[in-house]
Amino acid sequence: MRDLLKRLELKQVDLLVRERLLRNSDMNHPRNMFSLQQVREELKTLQIKLDMIDILRSIELETNKKGAVTHATEQNESV
């Protein structure tokens, strides 16, 4: 999952650079405007993916913590 997260973050940086370049270009040209729209949409969907991964990692950490607490409680009860 870390590799996926790194790849998505790199893609996000690339898209942010592209967005900045497009914003600094001639916005009167329809192709530039369309490209900028596309990049912004890609950024939105990419951010949603990053948020979903963050949520999954949080759930995984909580589950692991609860499992460790449960395991420790079981060991204490058996003593």
Side-chain angles (χ1 to χ4, degrees), residues 9-55:
E9 286 172 345
L10 286 173
K11 186 175 181 178
Q12 183 182 29
V13 170
D14 182 50
L15 288 171
L16 288 170
V17 169
R18 282 179 44 199
E19 180 190 28
R20 178 115 187 200
L21 290 172
L22 284 167
R23 278 190 288 135
N24 290 335
S25 65
D26 180 20
M27 294 313 297
N28 291 328
H29 196 284
R31 184 176 289 164
N32 290 343
M33 197 63 177
F34 180 72
S35 296
L36 182 62
Q37 263 183 323
Q38 283 183 320
V39 167
R40 286 182 175 163
E41 288 299 317
E42 284 182 58
L43 277 168
K44 286 179 187 176
T45 57
L46 188 60
Q47 187 59 50
I48 291 169
K49 289 177 185 178
L50 288 169
D51 290 344
M52 289 172 61
I53 289 174
D54 189 43
I55 290 169

Side-chain angles (χ1 to χ4, degrees), residues 1-9:
M1 190 177 309
R2 280 190 182 152
D3 292 336
L4 175 64
L5 188 60
K6 285 180 185 178
R7 278 187 273 140
L8 290 176
E9 286 172 345

